[in-house]
């Protein structure tokens, strides 16, 4: 029986490259001259921490990060931006969490959508992924196209296709 897994994963190396490009861009931009800026990436906690001059500069850095992610073919939906907070040193900071895995609610919505189509494809929720099993590969590919059109606020990838 053909099957495919629907997952939400982030290429951490590509994200690291995007962050390094943002750091390089900050060091060369005129509006960041004489402004202490720091962008750190914690792979274990899967978070990005930005500290810079003020709210406007934080927004500029986040826009640079989104641009670099798009350029490196990373979906910016994987970034969960928290609120901008002032620090005690007169600067501003923001934490960005990296979303990996399909949340239970989104997985249930995917399963419900597939079951409502009355196509001979069996979805099953497994931890942070959804496995699709069907009799025909064409049915699975149709479901994959349909899921790409939907917006679940997470990037979806299709891996482990077996026929």
């Amino acid at each position: 029986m053909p099957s495919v897994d629907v997952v939400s994963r982030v290429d951490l190396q590509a994200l690291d490259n995007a962050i390094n490009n943002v750091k390089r861009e900050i060091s060369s931009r005129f509006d960041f001259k004489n402004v202490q800026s720091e962008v750190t990436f914690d792979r274990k906690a899967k978070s990005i921490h930005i500290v810079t001059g003020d709210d406007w500069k934080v927004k500029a850095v986040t826009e640079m990060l989104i641009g670099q992610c798009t350029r490196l073919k990373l979906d910016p939906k994987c970034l969960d931006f928290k609120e901008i907070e002032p620090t005690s040193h007169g600067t501003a900071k923001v934490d960005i969490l990296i979303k990996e895995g399909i949340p239970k609610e989104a997985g249930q919505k995917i399963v419900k959508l597939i079951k409502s189509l009355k196509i001979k494809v069996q979805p099953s929720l497994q931890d942070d992924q959804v496995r699709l099993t069907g009799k025909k590969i064409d049915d699975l590919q149709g479901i994959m196209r349909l899921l790409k059109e939907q917006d679940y606020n997470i990037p979806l990838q299709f891996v482990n296709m077996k026929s």
Side-chain angles (χ1 to χ4, degrees):
M1 292 263 285
S3 67
V4 66
D5 293 334
V6 183
V7 297
S8 179
R9 294 185 185 148
V10 178
D11 182 2
L12 294 179
Q13 185 57 51
L15 186 61
D16 192 30
N17 292 342
I19 291 168
N20 288 333
N21 290 345
V22 167
K23 288 178 184 177
R24 208 171 299 118
E25 191 174 339
I26 288 172
S27 68
S28 66
R29 278 183 49 164
F30 180 75
D31 55 339
F32 282 91
K33 200 169 202 96
N34 299 326
V35 176
Q36 186 67 31
S37 297
E38 183 181 325
V39 181
T40 55
F41 176 41
D42 186 0
R43 280 180 179 259
K44 285 191 171 93
K46 292 188 178 159
S47 66
I48 302 167
H49 187 72
I50 298 172
V51 179
T52 189
D54 56 23
D55 291 4
W56 296 103
K57 295 215 178 353
V58 169
K59 289 178 184 172
V61 172
T62 57
E63 288 173 11
M64 284 187 255
L65 181 62
I66 290 171
Q68 288 297 328
C69 285
T70 305
R71 194 176 73 73
L72 294 173
K73 294 181 177 51
L74 278 173
D75 197 335
K77 289 181 192 174
C78 70
L79 302 175
D80 183 18
F81 294 93
K82 300 298 179 191
E83 285 190 33
I84 298 173
E85 302 171 359
T87 63
S88 60
H89 302 292
T91 59
K93 70 175 182 173
V94 68
D95 288 320
I96 304 168
L97 299 178
I98 299 158
K99 296 188 278 188
E100 276 199 317
I102 298 176
K104 198 161 193 85
E105 301 83 38
Q108 289 171 343
K109 285 180 186 176
I110 291 170
V111 169
K112 187 176 181 181
L113 173 73
I114 294 169
K115 286 187 175 184
S116 70
L117 295 173
K118 306 285 189 218
I119 298 176
K120 293 186 179 180
V121 172
Q122 289 299 316
S124 62
L125 205 55
Q126 299 175 342
D127 293 330
D128 59 351
Q129 67 182 20
V130 178
R131 173 157 292 164
L132 305 175
T133 310
K135 289 187 177 182
K136 299 179 187 171
I137 289 184
D138 294 340
D139 292 341
L140 293 178
Q141 289 172 337
I143 298 290
M144 289 165 57
R145 266 192 306 279
L146 179 73
L147 289 177
K148 283 181 185 175
E149 294 169 1
Q150 303 294 317
D151 183 28
Y152 294 105
N153 250 358
I154 52 172
L156 295 178
Q157 295 92 26
F158 304 96
V159 297
N160 208 10
M161 182 99 165
K162 295 179 182 170
S163 53

